[in-house]
Amino acid sequence: MPDRLDPRLSIRHVVVSVLLTIALQSVTSAGDAVSFELDVQPILAAHGCNAGACHGKQRGQNGFQLSLLGFDSDFDHDAIARQARGRRLSIAAPESSLLVQKATAEVPHGGGRKIVVGSDAYQTLVTWIRQGAPRRLADEPVLESVQLQQTEFALAPSESAALTTIAHYSDGTTRDVTGMTSYLSNEAAIVQVDSAGRLTAGPVPGETAVMARYMNHICVANVSIPRTEALPEGFYDDLPRANFIDDLVYDKLNQLRIRVSDPAGDAVFLRRVYTDVIGRLPTPEEAMQFLDSQDSEKRAALVDRLLDQPEYIDHWANQWADLLRPNPYRVGIKAVLNYDNWIRQQFRENVSHDEFARRLITAKGSTWHNGATTLFRDRRSPDEVATLVSQLFLGVRLDCAKCHHHPFEKWSQHDFYSFAAFFGKVGRKGTGLSPPISGGEEIVYVSTKGDVRHPVTEEVLAPAPLFGDVDLSADDDPREALVDWMVSPENDYFAKVHVNRVWAQLMGRGIVDPVDDLRSTNPPSNPALLDALANHFQQSGYDQKDLIKTIVLSNVYSTSSTPNETNTGDRLNYSRHYRHRLRAEVLAEAVAGVTETTESFSALAPESRSNQVWTHRIGSVFLDTFGRPDPNQDPPCERVADSSVTQTLHLMNSRELDRRVRSDDGRAARLAAGKQSAAEVVTELYQAVFSRRPTAQEQQYCETQITSAGENRRGAIEDLMWAMMNAPEFVIQN
């Protein structure tokens, strides 16, 4: 006790401090006392006291704040035992403590009754207070890990099962904490879980993950509900397999007793692979050449040819521009143009993905000469760069950990700011930003100084990866060490997030969804497949073209989108091709190809394609309608593939689309003026719009419409073209 007391301290505060000191001195063993960290905090977490909707929110609740989900034990102990002059505890009469009376609703409590008088939780709180509310006990063990006794469940519809959660401590002891653990099902319609950890399967087949969280330790149980009807004996043994993708997808489907859809025909594969790989429809001539070919290897030959087309560059660069492109009104028009050119140049050079990441993350120099430096012109602080880089190249969303411990992951504030410290030495010279013009040049360089501090402790943090170690000296550019760690074989996050993103583009859904959210509580639908794709990508030298070829030549990619009686409800396991709306730029190119007209874009050369647009500030009602990101939205901007009524109405009523269909220089006018028969006109229309030949019924109907039109032949062709472009088959990839 100090000789002189601060007069601002209340007598009660002093008494509480003295009692706490005496209590801490009197406790000699962790075995005969209640631990704040191991016993009390789990009670607060289990009853939601430190949840985001209660005292765990940013500013607490009614003057009482706890750390979110109990990630900061020192802060929580101080808040309970010392803040508000210690009024929340009454060591002489523990049952009268405000903490206890609020929890039991003996005094008014906005959260209602959380703990019942006489319960185990009640007795634990009272005992801890009676001990003097110590922060730590002598020889107190540390909670090291939490495990589920069983992590894989296969349940019949409406069947139940129990989770058992075991906590492991540093002294070798374990504790059953099932009743103190929080549980959450990713799909409650498939599997429900109650507060006691009991799983209840829904009435229909499916699968999902269930998260168990105990004191910031998270584990996951995977629950599947296979179909009750068995597949024919050896069904998957008899199916042809092109590569490891087929093996792993078929193995999973066999476990779930789901029968894969039939293979798609050549016409469906043709349209699918063109729109996926180069972002446009095949021309009628290209379609005829492929459909008429009898070569058994024609699909592989087609994929090789498409990967060498110049359209491949713009199609895939345009997708990465969504993830990187900033607002030109913020960073400057010239900087954004250079950035876009830089992205496209990487695809022209077929740069490997690891080299792409290295050139971008370690960029330096002038924003007028090295477009990659625009990343650091747009993201001006280490924490801003860290969130973008971790999400794009690791699939780890660190945003939550910027302010508090991530509620669904293991990342803490210390992890976040240590990662951000890799960008602490990024320096800038120039006039900086001056929206809405921001026209000046800026030089990005590696400074000799630049610290990143923990926002709570003010500790200067050294650059550190999210796991593992890096070799870093004082004179190094920390970003180089970061990239070395990112692309190393020991870090599979880098490969996984990219193969998952490419898989989603080609297959309609990621193995992990969202594609850039790789966390234990959002597990992949097929972990073995994701691991195999990532390993293949690493072994290929991070070659994207090789990855695309491997996927599109699998039999899984070539399955029909037509469901059968076993896979109608499947949206996770690729038992059929998942139909999805064509990307806005792909659909715009389809309109241009079908009508044989072009759209004029401001700030672009005549006859430029829609996927060559270098900023979303270049206006296009069509692209905006079909899902182009808002120009004010910060990257990364993953597209939303949902269809809407607005899109349907646009195709039906757009004056611009009508003008292009009826253009004197368009396809309809050319066909009407030509010498082709009605049958030949119909065949060309179907090959141009749908990349297939018409059925006999379609052929007959359309021929009748053209021949019966007489002198209005052109009008009939225009009407047919318009109707076909408004059909779902045109807008949706089959």
Side-chain angles (χ1 to χ4, degrees), residues 24-62:
L24 289 172
Q25 292 172 349
S26 65
V27 176
T28 59
S29 170
D32 56 7
V34 174
S35 163
F36 175 73
E37 194 163 330
L38 304 183
D39 299 309
V40 174
Q41 277 194 296
I43 292 174
L44 301 178
H47 293 85
C49 303
N50 53 22
C54 198
H55 298 289
K57 67 174 64 172
Q58 187 172 9
R59 290 181 174 83
Q61 183 83 355
N62 294 330

Short mmCIF file of all heavy atoms in Angstrom, two decimals, residues 24-62:
data_model
loop_
_atom_site.label_atom_id
_atom_site.label_comp_id
_atom_site.label_asym_id
_atom_site.label_seq_id
_atom_site.Cartn_x
_atom_site.Cartn_y
_atom_site.Cartn_z
N LEU A 24 -5.17 -12.47 -3.65
CA LEU A 24 -4.18 -13.02 -4.56
C LEU A 24 -3.03 -13.66 -3.80
O LEU A 24 -2.46 -14.65 -4.23
CB LEU A 24 -3.66 -11.90 -5.49
CG LEU A 24 -4.66 -11.41 -6.53
CD1 LEU A 24 -4.11 -10.17 -7.24
CD2 LEU A 24 -4.97 -12.49 -7.55
N GLN A 25 -2.67 -13.09 -2.65
CA GLN A 25 -1.58 -13.65 -1.86
C GLN A 25 -2.00 -14.93 -1.16
O GLN A 25 -1.18 -15.81 -0.89
CB GLN A 25 -1.11 -12.61 -0.83
CG GLN A 25 -0.43 -11.39 -1.44
CD GLN A 25 -0.14 -10.31 -0.42
OE1 GLN A 25 -0.63 -10.37 0.70
NE2 GLN A 25 0.66 -9.32 -0.82
N SER A 26 -3.29 -15.05 -0.87
CA SER A 26 -3.76 -16.20 -0.11
C SER A 26 -4.00 -17.42 -0.97
O SER A 26 -4.03 -18.54 -0.48
CB SER A 26 -5.05 -15.84 0.64
OG SER A 26 -6.09 -15.59 -0.28
N VAL A 27 -4.19 -17.19 -2.26
CA VAL A 27 -4.45 -18.32 -3.16
C VAL A 27 -3.13 -18.98 -3.52
O VAL A 27 -2.25 -18.34 -4.07
CB VAL A 27 -5.19 -17.85 -4.43
CG1 VAL A 27 -5.36 -19.01 -5.38
CG2 VAL A 27 -6.54 -17.28 -4.06
N THR A 28 -2.98 -20.21 -3.23
CA THR A 28 -1.71 -20.89 -3.46
C THR A 28 -1.78 -21.95 -4.53
O THR A 28 -0.76 -22.39 -5.04
CB THR A 28 -1.23 -21.54 -2.15
OG1 THR A 28 -2.22 -22.47 -1.71
CG2 THR A 28 -1.01 -20.49 -1.07
N SER A 29 -2.93 -22.40 -4.90
CA SER A 29 -3.04 -23.50 -5.86
C SER A 29 -4.25 -23.32 -6.74
O SER A 29 -5.30 -22.88 -6.29
CB SER A 29 -3.14 -24.84 -5.12
OG SER A 29 -3.48 -25.88 -6.01
N ALA A 30 -4.07 -23.68 -8.05
CA ALA A 30 -5.20 -23.59 -8.98
C ALA A 30 -6.19 -24.71 -8.78
O ALA A 30 -7.30 -24.67 -9.28
CB ALA A 30 -4.68 -23.59 -10.42
N GLY A 31 -5.78 -25.74 -8.06
CA GLY A 31 -6.66 -26.89 -7.93
C GLY A 31 -7.80 -26.68 -6.97
O GLY A 31 -8.80 -27.39 -7.02
N ASP A 32 -7.70 -25.76 -6.02
CA ASP A 32 -8.74 -25.59 -5.01
C ASP A 32 -9.41 -24.23 -5.10
O ASP A 32 -9.96 -23.73 -4.13
CB ASP A 32 -8.16 -25.79 -3.61
CG ASP A 32 -6.98 -24.85 -3.34
OD1 ASP A 32 -6.72 -23.98 -4.19
OD2 ASP A 32 -6.34 -25.01 -2.29
N ALA A 33 -9.35 -23.60 -6.27
CA ALA A 33 -9.92 -22.27 -6.42
C ALA A 33 -10.53 -22.12 -7.80
O ALA A 33 -10.26 -22.90 -8.71
CB ALA A 33 -8.85 -21.21 -6.18
N VAL A 34 -11.37 -21.08 -7.93
CA VAL A 34 -12.01 -20.77 -9.21
C VAL A 34 -11.13 -19.81 -9.99
O VAL A 34 -10.66 -18.79 -9.45
CB VAL A 34 -13.41 -20.17 -8.98
CG1 VAL A 34 -14.01 -19.71 -10.30
CG2 VAL A 34 -14.32 -21.19 -8.31
N SER A 35 -10.91 -20.10 -11.26
CA SER A 35 -10.08 -19.26 -12.13
C SER A 35 -10.96 -18.30 -12.92
O SER A 35 -11.99 -18.71 -13.48
CB SER A 35 -9.27 -20.14 -13.09
OG SER A 35 -8.78 -19.38 -14.18
N PHE A 36 -10.54 -17.05 -12.97
CA PHE A 36 -11.29 -16.08 -13.77
C PHE A 36 -11.26 -16.48 -15.25
O PHE A 36 -12.30 -16.52 -15.91
CB PHE A 36 -10.69 -14.69 -13.59
CG PHE A 36 -11.31 -13.64 -14.48
CD1 PHE A 36 -12.59 -13.18 -14.22
CD2 PHE A 36 -10.64 -13.14 -15.58
CE1 PHE A 36 -13.20 -12.23 -15.04
CE2 PHE A 36 -11.22 -12.20 -16.41
CZ PHE A 36 -12.50 -11.74 -16.14
N GLU A 37 -10.08 -16.77 -15.77
CA GLU A 37 -9.93 -17.04 -17.20
C GLU A 37 -10.52 -18.38 -17.60
O GLU A 37 -11.09 -18.52 -18.69
CB GLU A 37 -8.46 -16.97 -17.57
CG GLU A 37 -8.21 -16.90 -19.08
CD GLU A 37 -6.80 -16.42 -19.40
OE1 GLU A 37 -6.24 -15.64 -18.60
OE2 GLU A 37 -6.28 -16.83 -20.44
N LEU A 38 -10.38 -19.40 -16.73
CA LEU A 38 -10.80 -20.75 -17.11
C LEU A 38 -12.21 -21.10 -16.65
O LEU A 38 -12.82 -22.04 -17.18
CB LEU A 38 -9.82 -21.78 -16.52
CG LEU A 38 -8.35 -21.60 -16.89
CD1 LEU A 38 -7.52 -22.72 -16.30
CD2 LEU A 38 -8.17 -21.54 -18.40
N ASP A 39 -12.74 -20.35 -15.67
CA ASP A 39 -14.06 -20.68 -15.13
C ASP A 39 -15.10 -19.57 -15.29
O ASP A 39 -16.24 -19.82 -15.67
CB ASP A 39 -13.94 -21.03 -13.63
CG ASP A 39 -13.05 -22.23 -13.40
OD1 ASP A 39 -13.26 -23.26 -14.05
OD2 ASP A 39 -12.12 -22.12 -12.57
N VAL A 40 -14.68 -18.33 -14.99
CA VAL A 40 -15.64 -17.22 -15.00
C VAL A 40 -15.91 -16.73 -16.42
O VAL A 40 -17.07 -16.58 -16.82
CB VAL A 40 -15.14 -16.07 -14.11
CG1 VAL A 40 -16.07 -14.86 -14.24
CG2 VAL A 40 -15.05 -16.53 -12.66
N GLN A 41 -14.85 -16.47 -17.18
CA GLN A 41 -15.07 -15.97 -18.53
C GLN A 41 -15.88 -16.92 -19.41
O GLN A 41 -16.73 -16.47 -20.19
CB GLN A 41 -13.73 -15.65 -19.20
CG GLN A 41 -13.20 -14.26 -18.82
CD GLN A 41 -12.07 -13.82 -19.72
OE1 GLN A 41 -11.01 -14.43 -19.72
NE2 GLN A 41 -12.30 -12.76 -20.47
N PRO A 42 -15.67 -18.24 -19.33
CA PRO A 42 -16.54 -19.13 -20.10
C PRO A 42 -18.02 -18.99 -19.76
O PRO A 42 -18.88 -19.15 -20.63
CB PRO A 42 -16.01 -20.53 -19.74
CG PRO A 42 -14.57 -20.31 -19.41
CD PRO A 42 -14.54 -18.98 -18.71
N ILE A 43 -18.32 -18.67 -18.50
CA ILE A 43 -19.72 -18.45 -18.12
C ILE A 43 -20.26 -17.20 -18.82
O ILE A 43 -21.37 -17.21 -19.37
CB ILE A 43 -19.84 -18.32 -16.59
CG1 ILE A 43 -19.53 -19.64 -15.92
CG2 ILE A 43 -21.23 -17.82 -16.20
CD1 ILE A 43 -19.50 -19.56 -14.41
N LEU A 44 -19.48 -16.13 -18.83
CA LEU A 44 -19.91 -14.90 -19.48
C LEU A 44 -20.12 -15.12 -20.98
O LEU A 44 -21.07 -14.61 -21.57
CB LEU A 44 -18.87 -13.80 -19.25
CG LEU A 44 -18.57 -13.44 -17.79
CD1 LEU A 44 -17.49 -12.38 -17.71
CD2 LEU A 44 -19.84 -12.97 -17.08
N ALA A 45 -19.22 -15.90 -21.59
CA ALA A 45 -19.34 -16.15 -23.03
C ALA A 45 -20.53 -17.05 -23.33
O ALA A 45 -21.29 -16.81 -24.28
CB ALA A 45 -18.05 -16.78 -23.55
N ALA A 46 -20.72 -18.09 -22.52
CA ALA A 46 -21.80 -19.04 -22.77
C ALA A 46 -23.17 -18.39 -22.65
O ALA A 46 -24.13 -18.79 -23.32
CB ALA A 46 -21.69 -20.22 -21.81
N HIS A 47 -23.29 -17.37 -21.80
CA HIS A 47 -24.59 -16.71 -21.59
C HIS A 47 -24.73 -15.42 -22.40
O HIS A 47 -25.67 -14.65 -22.19
CB HIS A 47 -24.80 -16.43 -20.11
CG HIS A 47 -24.95 -17.68 -19.29
ND1 HIS A 47 -23.88 -18.39 -18.80
CD2 HIS A 47 -26.06 -18.37 -18.89
CE1 HIS A 47 -24.31 -19.45 -18.14
NE2 HIS A 47 -25.64 -19.46 -18.17
N GLY A 48 -23.79 -15.18 -23.32
CA GLY A 48 -23.91 -14.06 -24.24
C GLY A 48 -23.57 -12.71 -23.66
O GLY A 48 -23.83 -11.67 -24.29
N CYS A 49 -22.98 -12.67 -22.47
CA CYS A 49 -22.69 -11.38 -21.83
C CYS A 49 -21.67 -10.56 -22.62
O CYS A 49 -21.73 -9.33 -22.63
CB CYS A 49 -22.20 -11.59 -20.40
SG CYS A 49 -23.34 -12.53 -19.36
N ASN A 50 -20.71 -11.24 -23.25
CA ASN A 50 -19.68 -10.52 -24.00
C ASN A 50 -19.89 -10.61 -25.51
O ASN A 50 -18.96 -10.45 -26.29
CB ASN A 50 -18.28 -11.01 -23.62
CG ASN A 50 -18.15 -12.53 -23.74
OD1 ASN A 50 -18.91 -13.16 -24.45
ND2 ASN A 50 -17.18 -13.10 -23.03
N ALA A 51 -21.13 -10.88 -25.90
CA ALA A 51 -21.45 -10.94 -27.33
C ALA A 51 -21.56 -9.53 -27.91
O ALA A 51 -21.69 -8.54 -27.18
CB ALA A 51 -22.76 -11.70 -27.54
N GLY A 52 -21.52 -9.46 -29.24
CA GLY A 52 -21.56 -8.16 -29.91
C GLY A 52 -22.84 -7.39 -29.68
O GLY A 52 -22.87 -6.17 -29.78
N ALA A 53 -23.93 -8.10 -29.35
CA ALA A 53 -25.20 -7.41 -29.11
C ALA A 53 -25.35 -6.97 -27.67
O ALA A 53 -26.32 -6.29 -27.32
CB ALA A 53 -26.36 -8.34 -29.48
N CYS A 54 -24.39 -7.34 -26.82
CA CYS A 54 -24.50 -7.00 -25.40
C CYS A 54 -23.28 -6.20 -24.97
O CYS A 54 -22.90 -5.24 -25.62
CB CYS A 54 -24.69 -8.28 -24.59
SG CYS A 54 -25.34 -7.99 -22.92
N HIS A 55 -22.64 -6.60 -23.90
CA HIS A 55 -21.52 -5.82 -23.36
C HIS A 55 -20.26 -5.95 -24.20
O HIS A 55 -19.28 -5.24 -23.94
CB HIS A 55 -21.24 -6.24 -21.92
CG HIS A 55 -22.40 -5.99 -20.99
ND1 HIS A 55 -22.79 -4.73 -20.61
CD2 HIS A 55 -23.27 -6.85 -20.41
CE1 HIS A 55 -23.84 -4.82 -19.81
NE2 HIS A 55 -24.17 -6.09 -19.67
N GLY A 56 -20.26 -6.84 -25.20
CA GLY A 56 -19.09 -6.99 -26.06
C GLY A 56 -19.07 -6.04 -27.23
O GLY A 56 -18.12 -6.04 -28.01
N LYS A 57 -20.11 -5.20 -27.38
CA LYS A 57 -20.11 -4.24 -28.49
C LYS A 57 -19.04 -3.17 -28.27
O LYS A 57 -18.45 -3.07 -27.18
CB LYS A 57 -21.49 -3.60 -28.66
CG LYS A 57 -21.89 -2.70 -27.51
CD LYS A 57 -23.22 -1.98 -27.80
CE LYS A 57 -24.37 -2.95 -27.93
NZ LYS A 57 -25.68 -2.23 -28.02
N GLN A 58 -18.80 -2.37 -29.29
CA GLN A 58 -17.64 -1.47 -29.27
C GLN A 58 -17.61 -0.55 -28.05
O GLN A 58 -16.55 -0.32 -27.47
CB GLN A 58 -17.60 -0.65 -30.55
CG GLN A 58 -16.33 0.19 -30.69
CD GLN A 58 -16.23 0.84 -32.06
OE1 GLN A 58 -17.16 0.82 -32.84
NE2 GLN A 58 -15.09 1.43 -32.35
N ARG A 59 -18.74 -0.01 -27.65
CA ARG A 59 -18.77 0.88 -26.50
C ARG A 59 -19.51 0.27 -25.30
O ARG A 59 -19.90 0.97 -24.38
CB ARG A 59 -19.42 2.22 -26.88
CG ARG A 59 -18.55 3.05 -27.82
CD ARG A 59 -19.21 4.38 -28.15
NE ARG A 59 -18.34 5.23 -28.92
CZ ARG A 59 -18.17 5.15 -30.24
NH1 ARG A 59 -18.85 4.23 -30.92
NH2 ARG A 59 -17.35 5.96 -30.89
N GLY A 60 -19.68 -1.02 -25.34
CA GLY A 60 -20.32 -1.68 -24.23
C GLY A 60 -21.81 -1.42 -24.17
O GLY A 60 -22.43 -0.94 -25.11
N GLN A 61 -22.38 -1.75 -23.04
CA GLN A 61 -23.83 -1.59 -22.83
C GLN A 61 -24.05 -0.98 -21.45
O GLN A 61 -23.62 -1.52 -20.43
CB GLN A 61 -24.52 -2.96 -22.92
CG GLN A 61 -26.03 -2.92 -22.80
CD GLN A 61 -26.69 -2.59 -24.11
OE1 GLN A 61 -26.03 -2.30 -25.09
NE2 GLN A 61 -28.01 -2.62 -24.14
N ASN A 62 -24.72 0.18 -21.42
CA ASN A 62 -25.04 0.85 -20.15
C ASN A 62 -23.81 1.05 -19.27
O ASN A 62 -23.83 0.82 -18.06
CB ASN A 62 -26.11 0.06 -19.39
CG ASN A 62 -27.44 0.04 -20.12
OD1 ASN A 62 -27.77 0.98 -20.85
ND2 ASN A 62 -28.19 -1.04 -19.97
#
